[in-house]
Amino acid sequence: MPVPADQAHPLTADVAIVGGGIIGLATAWRLTRAGLSAIVIDPSPGSGASLSAAGMIAPVSEMSYQHGRLFALMRDSAAEYPTFVAALEADAQTDVGYRETETLVCAADPADRQMLADLQHYQQAAGGEVEALTSRAARRLEPALSPSLSGAFHSAGDHQVNPRRITAALQTVLPAIIRRTAVELIETESSSGTAVTGVRLDDGRTITAPVTVLATGMTPTRAPLPDDVPLPLRPIRGEVLRTRLPSGLPPLLEHTIRGIVTGRPIYLVPRADGEIVIGATSREDNREGPSVEGVSQLLRDAQRLVPGIGECELTEVTARARPGTHDDAPYLGTVGTAGRGPISGLIVANGFYRHGILLTPLASRLAAQLVLRELDPPTVPESTDHPATADTDHHHLQTMNPRRIAHPAAENQPQGGRP
Ligand code: GLY
């Protein structure tokens, strides 16, 4: 197909970011603040998993067994949220709905209570703040809870943000978002190895950049990695509902309510404007849209914990795919194979599974740092938005090293800089 004359000129930037979900947009914003030019490529920014997400900033109640290293990431990213939000709100001149609401985790029956009590020991051993409550004490804090609960747990440090407001705010402060699909990475081979030097778009244009970041989540349109680079992702789909009390009624909930109902997890996240987000199922099947069973299960389980939710209007049903990895930790860093070593000019930021919103401050800061190291400019300072120590960052980058898939020892190798 001929390329129209006005599209024939290649675009150039310091960084091309493929994928305009919360991770790609936030990384571009960090880099723009550091003085670089970043182009984000996405046909519909903010419309993937970031659109569905409820936005719990809940490192403790999102913790599960065998997730010690992931918990450290979640805890440290949650601690960065207030600084991240303050900087973004100042740049975008808007409120992104960060609320230090507390979380109550409720058990519907005695077996659910035992499951939560076992998890509480694990969470506490890892340093998580969580306290057991009787159901009566939980109802004193949150009168809308059902009187038939078997017990509850209080996580005072688990908060929330509105992911849609974050992606909207980021789009207002980013100068270059191209609403096209990146169909191909441009690779060059030399004696020092493979380098990615940009991407080709579906309209025939190319974007030339010394560094490309792949932050595509599970969106079906993506510039594929070379075949020999292993980076398996699987879609873990989930339904999320949005509800609202009829106008004039007082708020139903003050806390985020999470719970286990006959073994199934559920959460209800109340926004300041009266919306209550209910989520989320987890299924690994091929149905892209919402499933009838998933929606009815969420409605049933939500009413079991908070009977008054039945009074709300159901305003929206979404289903999106979380990008899942083999160990539930994201991929953030350079990729390559044993044969040809890391591919230069390419950073992957993907596989955030259930934790994309929570991990955004930390992951976008580290992704921006990796880009700066890849560019290696002597004059550009690294972001000083948050005083994390180099040792902690190094440890987090090891946890997320994408090369851990092919070479498990890679988890213990440093990341960043050209090979
Ligand atoms: N972060 C919660 C979920 O993915 O359902």
Side-chain angles (χ1 to χ4, degrees):
M1 197 168 63
V3 179
D6 63 339
Q7 295 181 359
H9 303 290
L11 296 155
T12 60
D14 294 317
V15 196
I17 298 189
V18 185
I22 194 167
I23 298 286
L25 293 169
T27 302
W29 171 65
R30 300 267 201 196
L31 290 165
T32 306
R33 291 186 114 223
L36 271 63
S37 58
I39 297 180
V40 176
I41 305 122
D42 193 310
S44 181
S47 67
S50 312
L51 183 89
S52 224
M56 286 172 297
I57 310 304
V60 176
S61 39
E62 275 284 325
M63 187 181 187
S64 46
Y65 297 108
Q66 309 294 331
H67 278 178
R69 290 177 72 136
L70 181 56
F71 173 64
L73 285 177
M74 299 198 291
R75 177 199 60 209
D76 290 356
S77 193
E80 293 187 28
Y81 242 100
T83 321
F84 171 83
V85 162
L88 177 58
E89 289 185 341
D91 277 9
Q93 289 295 296
T94 189
D95 167 14
V96 297
Y98 179 68
R99 297 178 75 200
E100 295 193 338
T101 44
E102 301 181 348
T103 296
L104 291 170
V105 188
C106 305
D109 68 24
D112 296 327
R113 191 186 182 287
Q114 188 57 51
M115 191 191 284
L116 289 172
D118 293 345
L119 187 59
Q120 181 203 15
H121 291 132
Y122 183 67
Q123 291 163 330
Q124 284 176 330
E129 186 194 345
V130 51
E131 175 202 355
L133 298 178
T134 61
S135 39
R136 184 177 299 173
R139 291 190 73 228
R140 270 200 297 271
L141 290 173
E142 194 60 89
L145 287 173
S146 163
S148 70
L149 297 180
S150 276
F153 296 82
H154 184 211
S155 272
D158 282 354
H159 306 316
Q160 63 156 299
V161 75
N162 188 329
R164 293 181 176 184
R165 289 196 185 184
I166 295 189
T167 54
L170 287 166
Q171 289 179 71
T172 65
V173 293
L174 286 174
I177 299 179
I178 296 188
R179 290 173 178 264
R180 304 296 314 190
T181 299
V183 290
E184 195 184 356
L185 294 174
I186 301 167
E187 291 180 59
T188 60
E189 300 289 339
S190 71
S191 54
S192 52
T194 308
V196 168
T197 56
V199 295
R200 202 175 317 284
L201 305 184
D202 58 348
D203 61 6
R205 283 182 294 175
T206 57
I207 296 177
T208 307
V211 185
T212 297
V213 178
L214 279 185
T216 47
M218 287 311 307
T219 49
T221 51
R222 49 192 189 159
L225 285 162
D227 286 343
D228 59 352
V229 174
L231 210 65
L233 285 172
R234 60 187 215 283
I236 303 168
R237 300 181 202 284
E239 283 84 16
V240 175
L241 314 178
R242 280 170 164 81
T243 66
R244 186 174 283 286
L245 269 181
S247 58
L249 292 183
L252 185 62
L253 296 172
E254 294 294 336
H255 297 71
T256 291
I257 305 299
R258 297 178 62 112
I260 302 287
V261 178
T262 56
R264 287 185 303 271
I266 178 128
Y267 48 82
L268 297 90
V269 182
R271 302 270 191 245
D273 67 359
E275 182 177 74
I276 300 175
V277 183
I278 304 175
T281 52
S282 277
R283 54 185 169 84
E284 296 194 46
D285 59 28
N286 292 327
R287 286 171 297 173
E288 287 198 9
S291 86
V292 171
E293 173 57 23
V295 172
S296 65
Q297 176 190 306
L298 288 176
L299 291 172
R300 244 184 356 252
D301 292 348
Q303 285 183 86
R304 178 97 179 257
L305 299 185
V306 180
I309 202 79
E311 303 301 318
C312 288
E313 251 177 67
L314 179 58
T315 53
E316 193 184 310
V317 177
T318 49
R320 290 291 185 279
R322 309 169 180 91
T325 64
H326 67 297
D327 59 3
D328 298 338
Y331 301 130
L332 179 60
T334 53
V335 293
T337 62
R340 54 177 171 162
I343 300 171
S344 65
L346 182 65
I347 305 288
V348 167
N350 208 340
F352 285 84
Y353 178 41
R354 300 175 60 91
H355 310 303
I357 309 301
L358 168 55
L359 292 179
T360 290
L362 178 110
S364 62
R365 183 174 60 75
L366 293 180
Q369 241 174 54
L370 290 175
V371 169
L372 291 169
R373 282 185 214 164
E374 195 72 11
L375 286 166
D376 203 20
T379 51
V380 180
E382 290 196 354
S383 164
T384 52
D385 273 355
H386 198 271
T389 69
D391 273 1
T392 313
D393 283 352
H394 174 78
H395 186 77
H396 290 329
L397 284 169
Q398 285 179 335
T399 302
M400 296 187 280
N401 191 336
R403 283 178 280 150
R404 70 187 185 274
I405 302 296
H407 314 288
E411 236 178 62
N412 299 316
Q413 287 168 9
Q415 287 211 67
R418 289 179 187 278

